[in-house]
Amino acid sequence: MIRAVLLDFDGTLVDTERLQWTAYEQALAPFGVHVGLDEYRRHFIRAAGGSDWVCRRYALPVAPDELRARKAAAYRALIPAGVRPCAGAGELLQRLAGRRLLAVVTNSVRAEVDVILAHLGWTHGFDAVIAREDYVHAKPAPDGYLVAAARLGCAPHECVVVEDTERGVRAGLAAGMRVVAVPSDLTYDNDFSGCVRRLDSLTSLTETLLDQIDRDGCS
């Protein structure tokens, strides 16, 4: 039985990817570097190591860790006015609360996640929140999802992962979990091979669909 739904955060539950891009633009501006949105979605969203890539590509005089720190400061300033839930996210949490265990599993650091959850009134909406500090290797490694399953007391086959990116899907599959893809307009062309479903929005992720996925897995 599917006991837990493990949800990616940025781009899946919260519409933050353009805010992240804007924050990187602000961090890169002093160096005269501009990364377009299409370039950003290919090197930062679809693939891991975006800050490492941009530092190499433009021979920046700062290390990736410093660039990430500058971006983080800019991003936190953008959150209060700019963060919105993805379509159907709030309704999904209400629909599944008390019926399935719910967890956030994200590559974002806890300070950013906590601020956004508080801003949206979702602080108490999850049975677990797994942020970047809680595991060793970031997505596409399976670490975060395996930590979430252990925290919830579930086996991998009892979990469904919900992701919007190729590297997130790879993380869920590597963890031995079934994965549902919910692409955004920034990730529509990612490789979602191996997913049990591809949905247009979280509105389609219902109890009925989870039961169907469960039955499919047992057939």
Side-chain angles (χ1 to χ4, degrees):
M1 178 182 177
I2 295 172
R3 296 178 53 211
V5 178
L6 312 183
L7 296 139
D8 172 57
F9 198 59
D10 297 288
T12 299
L13 278 177
V14 288
D15 187 11
T16 53
E17 293 293 7
R18 283 178 173 80
L19 282 187
Q20 302 263 11
W21 170 58
T22 299
Y24 266 112
E25 284 282 86
Q26 293 180 8
L28 290 167
F31 309 109
V33 172
H34 165 70
V35 173
L37 184 57
D38 188 63
E39 195 174 25
Y40 179 81
R41 75 183 190 86
R42 287 186 284 110
H43 293 285
F44 285 78
I45 299 176
R46 183 170 188 163
S51 56
D52 299 80
W53 169 81
V54 78
C55 285
R56 291 193 308 270
R57 171 69 175 79
Y58 295 99
L60 297 183
V62 295
D65 282 347
E66 183 178 341
L67 180 64
R68 282 190 286 267
R70 293 181 180 214
K71 172 261 176 182
Y75 180 59
R76 284 194 293 271
L78 293 170
I79 288 173
V83 169
R84 300 289 185 273
C86 289
E91 294 82 358
L92 172 71
L93 300 182
Q94 293 177 358
R95 193 161 60 242
L96 297 184
R99 293 179 170 84
R100 315 275 175 159
L101 296 169
L102 297 174
V104 165
V105 182
T106 178
N107 279 352
S108 292
V109 298
R110 184 165 297 278
E112 293 175 356
V113 177
D114 286 348
V115 168
I116 293 171
L117 291 178
H119 178 70
L120 296 176
W122 290 353
T123 300
H124 304 294
F126 300 92
D127 299 287
V129 175
I130 308 301
R132 185 62 188 88
E133 296 91 336
D134 296 318
Y135 54 89
V136 177
H137 301 293
K139 301 172 188 178
D143 299 31
Y145 284 116
L146 293 173
V147 168
R151 190 80 55 87
L152 296 174
C154 296
H157 72 269
E158 295 176 310
C159 301
V160 161
V161 166
V162 184
E163 275 281 359
D164 72 310
T165 66
E166 178 178 327
R167 60 174 163 152
V169 166
R170 287 169 56 197
L173 294 174
M177 301 173 182
R178 285 166 284 186
V179 182
V180 172
V182 188
S184 73
D185 63 324
L186 299 176
T187 63
Y188 65 91
D189 59 349
N190 283 204
D191 181 2
F192 296 113
S193 300
C195 291
V196 294
R197 294 289 191 282
R198 176 172 175 156
L199 307 178
D200 291 333
S201 77
L202 294 174
T203 303
S204 301
L205 187 60
T206 62
E207 279 281 287
T208 300
L209 181 65
L210 291 171
D211 288 341
Q212 180 61 56
I213 293 171
D214 229 349
R215 289 194 295 272
D216 292 348
C218 296
S219 60

PDB file of all heavy atoms in Angstrom, residues 71-107:
ATOM      1  N   LYS A  71      23.678  34.456  -3.690  1.00  0.00           N
ATOM      2  CA  LYS A  71      22.337  34.167  -4.229  1.00  0.00           C
ATOM      3  C   LYS A  71      21.343  33.933  -3.100  1.00  0.00           C
ATOM      4  O   LYS A  71      20.199  34.391  -3.153  1.00  0.00           O
ATOM      5  CB  LYS A  71      22.417  32.952  -5.146  1.00  0.00           C
ATOM      6  CG  LYS A  71      21.070  32.429  -5.622  1.00  0.00           C
ATOM      7  CD  LYS A  71      20.632  31.238  -4.784  1.00  0.00           C
ATOM      8  CE  LYS A  71      19.247  30.772  -5.179  1.00  0.00           C
ATOM      9  NZ  LYS A  71      18.789  29.648  -4.330  1.00  0.00           N
ATOM     10  N   ALA A  72      21.755  33.213  -2.054  1.00  0.00           N
ATOM     11  CA  ALA A  72      20.849  32.901  -0.944  1.00  0.00           C
ATOM     12  C   ALA A  72      20.368  34.174  -0.261  1.00  0.00           C
ATOM     13  O   ALA A  72      19.188  34.290   0.099  1.00  0.00           O
ATOM     14  CB  ALA A  72      21.547  31.982   0.064  1.00  0.00           C
ATOM     15  N   ALA A  73      21.252  35.140  -0.077  1.00  0.00           N
ATOM     16  CA  ALA A  73      20.859  36.406   0.557  1.00  0.00           C
ATOM     17  C   ALA A  73      19.848  37.151  -0.314  1.00  0.00           C
ATOM     18  O   ALA A  73      18.847  37.681   0.189  1.00  0.00           O
ATOM     19  CB  ALA A  73      22.095  37.262   0.798  1.00  0.00           C
ATOM     20  N   ALA A  74      20.089  37.155  -1.620  1.00  0.00           N
ATOM     21  CA  ALA A  74      19.154  37.821  -2.535  1.00  0.00           C
ATOM     22  C   ALA A  74      17.815  37.094  -2.557  1.00  0.00           C
ATOM     23  O   ALA A  74      16.743  37.723  -2.573  1.00  0.00           O
ATOM     24  CB  ALA A  74      19.755  37.873  -3.937  1.00  0.00           C
ATOM     25  N   TYR A  75      17.858  35.774  -2.518  1.00  0.00           N
ATOM     26  CA  TYR A  75      16.636  34.966  -2.588  1.00  0.00           C
ATOM     27  C   TYR A  75      15.759  35.191  -1.361  1.00  0.00           C
ATOM     28  O   TYR A  75      14.538  35.369  -1.476  1.00  0.00           O
ATOM     29  CB  TYR A  75      17.024  33.501  -2.712  1.00  0.00           C
ATOM     30  CG  TYR A  75      15.872  32.542  -2.806  1.00  0.00           C
ATOM     31  CD1 TYR A  75      14.926  32.632  -3.829  1.00  0.00           C
ATOM     32  CD2 TYR A  75      15.732  31.497  -1.884  1.00  0.00           C
ATOM     33  CE1 TYR A  75      13.871  31.739  -3.921  1.00  0.00           C
ATOM     34  CE2 TYR A  75      14.689  30.602  -1.976  1.00  0.00           C
ATOM     35  CZ  TYR A  75      13.766  30.728  -2.988  1.00  0.00           C
ATOM     36  OH  TYR A  75      12.719  29.834  -3.080  1.00  0.00           O
ATOM     37  N   ARG A  76      16.362  35.206  -0.184  1.00  0.00           N
ATOM     38  CA  ARG A  76      15.575  35.400   1.039  1.00  0.00           C
ATOM     39  C   ARG A  76      14.855  36.739   1.025  1.00  0.00           C
ATOM     40  O   ARG A  76      13.747  36.860   1.547  1.00  0.00           O
ATOM     41  CB  ARG A  76      16.475  35.268   2.269  1.00  0.00           C
ATOM     42  CG  ARG A  76      16.845  33.826   2.594  1.00  0.00           C
ATOM     43  CD  ARG A  76      17.438  33.704   3.983  1.00  0.00           C
ATOM     44  NE  ARG A  76      18.739  34.361   4.072  1.00  0.00           N
ATOM     45  CZ  ARG A  76      19.898  33.774   3.805  1.00  0.00           C
ATOM     46  NH1 ARG A  76      19.924  32.505   3.430  1.00  0.00           N
ATOM     47  NH2 ARG A  76      21.032  34.425   3.926  1.00  0.00           N
ATOM     48  N   ALA A  77      15.478  37.741   0.411  1.00  0.00           N
ATOM     49  CA  ALA A  77      14.830  39.053   0.319  1.00  0.00           C
ATOM     50  C   ALA A  77      13.649  39.048  -0.635  1.00  0.00           C
ATOM     51  O   ALA A  77      12.716  39.842  -0.498  1.00  0.00           O
ATOM     52  CB  ALA A  77      15.852  40.104  -0.124  1.00  0.00           C
ATOM     53  N   LEU A  78      13.657  38.135  -1.603  1.00  0.00           N
ATOM     54  CA  LEU A  78      12.578  38.061  -2.589  1.00  0.00           C
ATOM     55  C   LEU A  78      11.374  37.246  -2.111  1.00  0.00           C
ATOM     56  O   LEU A  78      10.269  37.410  -2.631  1.00  0.00           O
ATOM     57  CB  LEU A  78      13.110  37.431  -3.887  1.00  0.00           C
ATOM     58  CG  LEU A  78      14.148  38.231  -4.672  1.00  0.00           C
ATOM     59  CD1 LEU A  78      14.746  37.364  -5.771  1.00  0.00           C
ATOM     60  CD2 LEU A  78      13.531  39.484  -5.264  1.00  0.00           C
ATOM     61  N   ILE A  79      11.582  36.366  -1.145  1.00  0.00           N
ATOM     62  CA  ILE A  79      10.543  35.418  -0.742  1.00  0.00           C
ATOM     63  C   ILE A  79       9.232  36.076  -0.301  1.00  0.00           C
ATOM     64  O   ILE A  79       8.163  35.698  -0.792  1.00  0.00           O
ATOM     65  CB  ILE A  79      11.076  34.465   0.357  1.00  0.00           C
ATOM     66  CG1 ILE A  79      12.067  33.466  -0.254  1.00  0.00           C
ATOM     67  CG2 ILE A  79       9.917  33.706   1.031  1.00  0.00           C
ATOM     68  CD1 ILE A  79      12.780  32.605   0.769  1.00  0.00           C
ATOM     69  N   PRO A  80       9.256  37.047   0.614  1.00  0.00           N
ATOM     70  CA  PRO A  80       7.974  37.544   1.136  1.00  0.00           C
ATOM     71  C   PRO A  80       7.005  38.034   0.064  1.00  0.00           C
ATOM     72  O   PRO A  80       5.797  37.795   0.152  1.00  0.00           O
ATOM     73  CB  PRO A  80       8.397  38.679   2.077  1.00  0.00           C
ATOM     74  CG  PRO A  80       9.789  38.313   2.498  1.00  0.00           C
ATOM     75  CD  PRO A  80      10.402  37.689   1.284  1.00  0.00           C
ATOM     76  N   ALA A  81       7.510  38.714  -0.938  1.00  0.00           N
ATOM     77  CA  ALA A  81       6.616  39.282  -1.947  1.00  0.00           C
ATOM     78  C   ALA A  81       6.388  38.354  -3.131  1.00  0.00           C
ATOM     79  O   ALA A  81       5.410  38.516  -3.865  1.00  0.00           O
ATOM     80  CB  ALA A  81       7.187  40.609  -2.456  1.00  0.00           C
ATOM     81  N   GLY A  82       7.276  37.354  -3.306  1.00  0.00           N
ATOM     82  CA  GLY A  82       7.251  36.613  -4.555  1.00  0.00           C
ATOM     83  C   GLY A  82       6.809  35.171  -4.531  1.00  0.00           C
ATOM     84  O   GLY A  82       6.502  34.602  -5.578  1.00  0.00           O
ATOM     85  N   VAL A  83       6.758  34.542  -3.368  1.00  0.00           N
ATOM     86  CA  VAL A  83       6.465  33.106  -3.328  1.00  0.00           C
ATOM     87  C   VAL A  83       4.975  32.832  -3.460  1.00  0.00           C
ATOM     88  O   VAL A  83       4.155  33.441  -2.768  1.00  0.00           O
ATOM     89  CB  VAL A  83       6.996  32.471  -2.031  1.00  0.00           C
ATOM     90  CG1 VAL A  83       6.473  31.054  -1.865  1.00  0.00           C
ATOM     91  CG2 VAL A  83       8.510  32.450  -2.045  1.00  0.00           C
ATOM     92  N   ARG A  84       4.641  31.928  -4.360  1.00  0.00           N
ATOM     93  CA  ARG A  84       3.266  31.467  -4.536  1.00  0.00           C
ATOM     94  C   ARG A  84       3.256  29.944  -4.586  1.00  0.00           C
ATOM     95  O   ARG A  84       4.206  29.331  -5.074  1.00  0.00           O
ATOM     96  CB  ARG A  84       2.672  32.013  -5.845  1.00  0.00           C
ATOM     97  CG  ARG A  84       2.626  33.518  -5.950  1.00  0.00           C
ATOM     98  CD  ARG A  84       1.571  34.112  -5.018  1.00  0.00           C
ATOM     99  NE  ARG A  84       1.454  35.558  -5.211  1.00  0.00           N
ATOM    100  CZ  ARG A  84       2.210  36.453  -4.584  1.00  0.00           C
ATOM    101  NH1 ARG A  84       3.148  36.040  -3.732  1.00  0.00           N
ATOM    102  NH2 ARG A  84       2.055  37.739  -4.779  1.00  0.00           N
ATOM    103  N   PRO A  85       2.186  29.297  -4.127  1.00  0.00           N
ATOM    104  CA  PRO A  85       2.093  27.845  -4.291  1.00  0.00           C
ATOM    105  C   PRO A  85       1.871  27.484  -5.746  1.00  0.00           C
ATOM    106  O   PRO A  85       1.298  28.265  -6.513  1.00  0.00           O
ATOM    107  CB  PRO A  85       0.883  27.468  -3.436  1.00  0.00           C
ATOM    108  CG  PRO A  85       0.069  28.715  -3.349  1.00  0.00           C
ATOM    109  CD  PRO A  85       1.023  29.863  -3.415  1.00  0.00           C
ATOM    110  N   CYS A  86       2.336  26.319  -6.146  1.00  0.00           N
ATOM    111  CA  CYS A  86       2.033  25.818  -7.483  1.00  0.00           C
ATOM    112  C   CYS A  86       0.554  25.469  -7.575  1.00  0.00           C
ATOM    113  O   CYS A  86      -0.109  25.230  -6.547  1.00  0.00           O
ATOM    114  CB  CYS A  86       2.888  24.591  -7.791  1.00  0.00           C
ATOM    115  SG  CYS A  86       4.641  24.968  -8.039  1.00  0.00           S
ATOM    116  N   ALA A  87       0.037  25.428  -8.773  1.00  0.00           N
ATOM    117  CA  ALA A  87      -1.389  25.154  -8.978  1.00  0.00           C
ATOM    118  C   ALA A  87      -1.787  23.841  -8.324  1.00  0.00           C
ATOM    119  O   ALA A  87      -1.173  22.807  -8.571  1.00  0.00           O
ATOM    120  CB  ALA A  87      -1.690  25.104 -10.478  1.00  0.00           C
ATOM    121  N   GLY A  88      -2.806  23.912  -7.476  1.00  0.00           N
ATOM    122  CA  GLY A  88      -3.345  22.710  -6.839  1.00  0.00           C
ATOM    123  C   GLY A  88      -2.605  22.243  -5.609  1.00  0.00           C
ATOM    124  O   GLY A  88      -3.018  21.257  -4.979  1.00  0.00           O
ATOM    125  N   ALA A  89      -1.516  22.943  -5.210  1.00  0.00           N
ATOM    126  CA  ALA A  89      -0.707  22.466  -4.087  1.00  0.00           C
ATOM    127  C   ALA A  89      -1.465  22.513  -2.759  1.00  0.00           C
ATOM    128  O   ALA A  89      -1.484  21.539  -2.003  1.00  0.00           O
ATOM    129  CB  ALA A  89       0.577  23.279  -3.985  1.00  0.00           C
ATOM    130  N   GLY A  90      -2.091  23.648  -2.465  1.00  0.00           N
ATOM    131  CA  GLY A  90      -2.822  23.759  -1.206  1.00  0.00           C
ATOM    132  C   GLY A  90      -3.952  22.758  -1.100  1.00  0.00           C
ATOM    133  O   GLY A  90      -4.158  22.124  -0.058  1.00  0.00           O
ATOM    134  N   GLU A  91      -4.653  22.580  -2.193  1.00  0.00           N
ATOM    135  CA  GLU A  91      -5.766  21.619  -2.209  1.00  0.00           C
ATOM    136  C   GLU A  91      -5.256  20.194  -2.050  1.00  0.00           C
ATOM    137  O   GLU A  91      -5.898  19.359  -1.406  1.00  0.00           O
ATOM    138  CB  GLU A  91      -6.545  21.752  -3.518  1.00  0.00           C
ATOM    139  CG  GLU A  91      -7.269  23.090  -3.698  1.00  0.00           C
ATOM    140  CD  GLU A  91      -6.375  24.199  -4.212  1.00  0.00           C
ATOM    141  OE1 GLU A  91      -5.159  23.948  -4.409  1.00  0.00           O
ATOM    142  OE2 GLU A  91      -6.888  25.318  -4.412  1.00  0.00           O
ATOM    143  N   LEU A  92      -4.095  19.907  -2.638  1.00  0.00           N
ATOM    144  CA  LEU A  92      -3.503  18.574  -2.496  1.00  0.00           C
ATOM    145  C   LEU A  92      -3.207  18.251  -1.037  1.00  0.00           C
ATOM    146  O   LEU A  92      -3.536  17.157  -0.551  1.00  0.00           O
ATOM    147  CB  LEU A  92      -2.213  18.489  -3.310  1.00  0.00           C
ATOM    148  CG  LEU A  92      -1.383  17.217  -3.099  1.00  0.00           C
ATOM    149  CD1 LEU A  92      -2.072  16.018  -3.730  1.00  0.00           C
ATOM    150  CD2 LEU A  92       0.018  17.377  -3.644  1.00  0.00           C
ATOM    151  N   LEU A  93      -2.618  19.199  -0.339  1.00  0.00           N
ATOM    152  CA  LEU A  93      -2.289  18.973   1.069  1.00  0.00           C
ATOM    153  C   LEU A  93      -3.554  18.743   1.895  1.00  0.00           C
ATOM    154  O   LEU A  93      -3.587  17.875   2.775  1.00  0.00           O
ATOM    155  CB  LEU A  93      -1.492  20.158   1.616  1.00  0.00           C
ATOM    156  CG  LEU A  93      -0.158  20.453   0.907  1.00  0.00           C
ATOM    157  CD1 LEU A  93       0.552  21.611   1.586  1.00  0.00           C
ATOM    158  CD2 LEU A  93       0.722  19.214   0.877  1.00  0.00           C
ATOM    159  N   GLN A  94      -4.589  19.498   1.620  1.00  0.00           N
ATOM    160  CA  GLN A  94      -5.851  19.300   2.330  1.00  0.00           C
ATOM    161  C   GLN A  94      -6.465  17.944   1.990  1.00  0.00           C
ATOM    162  O   GLN A  94      -7.014  17.257   2.861  1.00  0.00           O
ATOM    163  CB  GLN A  94      -6.828  20.422   1.978  1.00  0.00           C
ATOM    164  CG  GLN A  94      -6.406  21.792   2.481  1.00  0.00           C
ATOM    165  CD  GLN A  94      -7.363  22.883   2.043  1.00  0.00           C
ATOM    166  OE1 GLN A  94      -8.340  22.646   1.331  1.00  0.00           O
ATOM    167  NE2 GLN A  94      -7.081  24.117   2.452  1.00  0.00           N
ATOM    168  N   ARG A  95      -6.345  17.558   0.720  1.00  0.00           N
ATOM    169  CA  ARG A  95      -6.960  16.318   0.242  1.00  0.00           C
ATOM    170  C   ARG A  95      -6.302  15.082   0.853  1.00  0.00           C
ATOM    171  O   ARG A  95      -6.977  14.102   1.172  1.00  0.00           O
ATOM    172  CB  ARG A  95      -6.829  16.292  -1.284  1.00  0.00           C
ATOM    173  CG  ARG A  95      -7.646  15.261  -1.987  1.00  0.00           C
ATOM    174  CD  ARG A  95      -7.817  15.609  -3.446  1.00  0.00           C
ATOM    175  NE  ARG A  95      -6.582  15.727  -4.201  1.00  0.00           N
ATOM    176  CZ  ARG A  95      -6.164  16.843  -4.793  1.00  0.00           C
ATOM    177  NH1 ARG A  95      -6.863  17.958  -4.732  1.00  0.00           N
ATOM    178  NH2 ARG A  95      -5.025  16.866  -5.474  1.00  0.00           N
ATOM    179  N   LEU A  96      -4.989  15.134   1.029  1.00  0.00           N
ATOM    180  CA  LEU A  96      -4.265  13.939   1.483  1.00  0.00           C
ATOM    181  C   LEU A  96      -3.975  13.933   2.984  1.00  0.00           C
ATOM    182  O   LEU A  96      -3.576  12.907   3.524  1.00  0.00           O
ATOM    183  CB  LEU A  96      -2.949  13.811   0.715  1.00  0.00           C
ATOM    184  CG  LEU A  96      -3.057  13.616  -0.803  1.00  0.00           C
ATOM    185  CD1 LEU A  96      -1.676  13.397  -1.399  1.00  0.00           C
ATOM    186  CD2 LEU A  96      -3.974  12.452  -1.148  1.00  0.00           C
ATOM    187  N   ALA A  97      -4.154  15.072   3.645  1.00  0.00           N
ATOM    188  CA  ALA A  97      -3.859  15.153   5.078  1.00  0.00           C
ATOM    189  C   ALA A  97      -4.664  14.120   5.851  1.00  0.00           C
ATOM    190  O   ALA A  97      -5.884  14.022   5.695  1.00  0.00           O
ATOM    191  CB  ALA A  97      -4.162  16.553   5.598  1.00  0.00           C
ATOM    192  N   GLY A  98      -3.976  13.348   6.672  1.00  0.00           N
ATOM    193  CA  GLY A  98      -4.626  12.329   7.479  1.00  0.00           C
ATOM    194  C   GLY A  98      -4.902  11.038   6.742  1.00  0.00           C
ATOM    195  O   GLY A  98      -5.281  10.038   7.366  1.00  0.00           O
ATOM    196  N   ARG A  99      -4.713  11.039   5.419  1.00  0.00           N
ATOM    197  CA  ARG A  99      -4.945   9.832   4.618  1.00  0.00           C
ATOM    198  C   ARG A  99      -3.624   9.183   4.186  1.00  0.00           C
ATOM    199  O   ARG A  99      -3.545   7.970   4.066  1.00  0.00           O
ATOM    200  CB  ARG A  99      -5.789  10.161   3.399  1.00  0.00           C
ATOM    201  CG  ARG A  99      -7.218  10.586   3.734  1.00  0.00           C
ATOM    202  CD  ARG A  99      -8.010  10.929   2.490  1.00  0.00           C
ATOM    203  NE  ARG A  99      -9.426  11.105   2.790  1.00  0.00           N
ATOM    204  CZ  ARG A  99      -9.959  12.232   3.246  1.00  0.00           C
ATOM    205  NH1 ARG A  99      -9.173  13.283   3.473  1.00  0.00           N
ATOM    206  NH2 ARG A  99     -11.249  12.316   3.490  1.00  0.00           N
ATOM    207  N   ARG A 100      -2.637  10.004   3.916  1.00  0.00           N
ATOM    208  CA  ARG A 100      -1.290   9.529   3.590  1.00  0.00           C
ATOM    209  C   ARG A 100      -0.291  10.371   4.381  1.00  0.00           C
ATOM    210  O   ARG A 100      -0.549  11.538   4.683  1.00  0.00           O
ATOM    211  CB  ARG A 100      -0.976   9.684   2.098  1.00  0.00           C
ATOM    212  CG  ARG A 100      -2.075   9.247   1.159  1.00  0.00           C
ATOM    213  CD  ARG A 100      -2.055   7.770   0.854  1.00  0.00           C
ATOM    214  NE  ARG A 100      -3.228   7.411   0.041  1.00  0.00           N
ATOM    215  CZ  ARG A 100      -3.318   6.327  -0.712  1.00  0.00           C
ATOM    216  NH1 ARG A 100      -2.331   5.452  -0.748  1.00  0.00           N
ATOM    217  NH2 ARG A 100      -4.415   6.075  -1.405  1.00  0.00           N
ATOM    218  N   LEU A 101       0.847   9.777   4.695  1.00  0.00           N
ATOM    219  CA  LEU A 101       1.929  10.552   5.277  1.00  0.00           C
ATOM    220  C   LEU A 101       2.481  11.483   4.195  1.00  0.00           C
ATOM    221  O   LEU A 101       2.610  11.086   3.036  1.00  0.00           O
ATOM    222  CB  LEU A 101       3.025   9.621   5.789  1.00  0.00           C
ATOM    223  CG  LEU A 101       2.625   8.682   6.929  1.00  0.00           C
ATOM    224  CD1 LEU A 101       3.701   7.638   7.167  1.00  0.00           C
ATOM    225  CD2 LEU A 101       2.346   9.473   8.198  1.00  0.00           C
ATOM    226  N   LEU A 102       2.813  12.697   4.588  1.00  0.00           N
ATOM    227  CA  LEU A 102       3.287  13.694   3.628  1.00  0.00           C
ATOM    228  C   LEU A 102       4.652  14.219   4.051  1.00  0.00           C
ATOM    229  O   LEU A 102       4.868  14.543   5.227  1.00  0.00           O
ATOM    230  CB  LEU A 102       2.304  14.864   3.540  1.00  0.00           C
ATOM    231  CG  LEU A 102       0.897  14.559   3.033  1.00  0.00           C
ATOM    232  CD1 LEU A 102       0.020  15.795   3.156  1.00  0.00           C
ATOM    233  CD2 LEU A 102       0.934  14.071   1.593  1.00  0.00           C
ATOM    234  N   ALA A 103       5.559  14.316   3.086  1.00  0.00           N
ATOM    235  CA  ALA A 103       6.880  14.854   3.382  1.00  0.00           C
ATOM    236  C   ALA A 103       7.360  15.744   2.249  1.00  0.00           C
ATOM    237  O   ALA A 103       7.056  15.501   1.076  1.00  0.00           O
ATOM    238  CB  ALA A 103       7.887  13.725   3.604  1.00  0.00           C
ATOM    239  N   VAL A 104       8.085  16.774   2.611  1.00  0.00           N
ATOM    240  CA  VAL A 104       8.846  17.581   1.656  1.00  0.00           C
ATOM    241  C   VAL A 104      10.247  16.991   1.578  1.00  0.00           C
ATOM    242  O   VAL A 104      10.849  16.676   2.612  1.00  0.00           O
ATOM    243  CB  VAL A 104       8.930  19.052   2.111  1.00  0.00           C
ATOM    244  CG1 VAL A 104      10.010  19.800   1.334  1.00  0.00           C
ATOM    245  CG2 VAL A 104       7.590  19.741   1.946  1.00  0.00           C
ATOM    246  N   VAL A 105      10.766  16.836   0.358  1.00  0.00           N
ATOM    247  CA  VAL A 105      12.153  16.395   0.173  1.00  0.00           C
ATOM    248  C   VAL A 105      12.786  17.344  -0.842  1.00  0.00           C
ATOM    249  O   VAL A 105      12.411  17.346  -2.012  1.00  0.00           O
ATOM    250  CB  VAL A 105      12.230  14.944  -0.326  1.00  0.00           C
ATOM    251  CG1 VAL A 105      13.694  14.521  -0.465  1.00  0.00           C
ATOM    252  CG2 VAL A 105      11.493  14.005   0.620  1.00  0.00           C
ATOM    253  N   THR A 106      13.747  18.137  -0.391  1.00  0.00           N
ATOM    254  CA  THR A 106      14.249  19.218  -1.229  1.00  0.00           C
ATOM    255  C   THR A 106      15.763  19.352  -1.158  1.00  0.00           C
ATOM    256  O   THR A 106      16.380  19.016  -0.142  1.00  0.00           O
ATOM    257  CB  THR A 106      13.590  20.554  -0.818  1.00  0.00           C
ATOM    258  OG1 THR A 106      14.117  21.614  -1.614  1.00  0.00           O
ATOM    259  CG2 THR A 106      13.834  20.860   0.647  1.00  0.00           C
ATOM    260  N   ASN A 107      16.345  19.863  -2.242  1.00  0.00           N
ATOM    261  CA  ASN A 107      17.759  20.239  -2.250  1.00  0.00           C
ATOM    262  C   ASN A 107      17.977  21.608  -1.616  1.00  0.00           C
ATOM    263  O   ASN A 107      19.118  22.018  -1.424  1.00  0.00           O
ATOM    264  CB  ASN A 107      18.288  20.284  -3.691  1.00  0.00           C
ATOM    265  CG  ASN A 107      18.659  18.904  -4.226  1.00  0.00           C
ATOM    266  OD1 ASN A 107      18.668  17.914  -3.507  1.00  0.00           O
ATOM    267  ND2 ASN A 107      18.967  18.844  -5.512  1.00  0.00           N
TER     268      ASN A 107
END
